[in-house]
Amino acid sequence: MSNYAAAVARYFEAWNATDPDTLAKAVAAAWSEDGTYTDPLADVRGHDQITAVIQAAHEQFPGFEFRPAGDVDGHHDIARFRWELVSTADGSAPVAGSDVVTVAEDGRITAVLGFLDRLPEA
């Protein structure tokens, strides 16, 4: 597994963790201490703020999990990948996006730039 794929795998582990202790550990494993997460709905820094964004997503979409939608592509210290938010009950995926991450030498993410490609209709 490439360094990029390993970083993205830890990223999905964090996004799919629902237990508070597991989530805190997964965020710490995936992001550097001062790592950032930016998308159209959030612009946060550090483990506590990233954890809060993930918890808010689970509150808004209970019973859903984040899944990769294709392969991870990377060069230098940058990787990109697509994802979907999938219902564990019926397999629907009302939300999808694309993320670009910067990966530090230790394999943890220092920055995420997220784009929302598909949203549920209002």
Side-chain angles (χ1 to χ4, degrees):
M1 179 180 296
S2 74
N3 192 40
Y4 309 118
V8 172
R10 286 190 300 275
Y11 176 85
F12 280 109
E13 287 175 17
W15 275 99
N16 288 321
T18 55
D19 172 75
D21 290 336
T22 304
L23 174 56
K25 290 176 185 174
V27 167
W31 271 273
S32 62
E33 288 81 9
D34 62 345
T36 62
Y37 178 85
T38 304
D39 72 13
L41 306 174
D43 186 11
V44 297
R45 176 179 297 274
H47 292 170
D48 290 344
Q49 291 181 3
I50 292 167
T51 297
V53 167
I54 293 171
Q55 287 172 325
H58 286 288
E59 289 170 10
Q60 185 174 3
F61 293 96
F64 283 76
E65 65 183 19
F66 288 87
R67 294 184 188 167
D71 295 328
V72 177
D73 182 30
H75 63 80
H76 296 86
D77 62 348
I78 301 167
R80 67 178 176 170
F81 57 95
R82 293 178 301 117
W83 53 266
E84 293 181 314
L85 184 61
V86 180
S87 168
T88 57
D90 66 13
S92 64
V95 182
S98 303
D99 289 356
V100 176
V101 299
T102 304
V103 180
E105 286 187 22
D106 71 358
R108 293 191 297 167
I109 294 168
T110 58
V112 176
L113 300 173
F115 296 86
L116 300 174
D117 302 327
R118 180 175 63 236
L119 294 171
E121 295 184 24

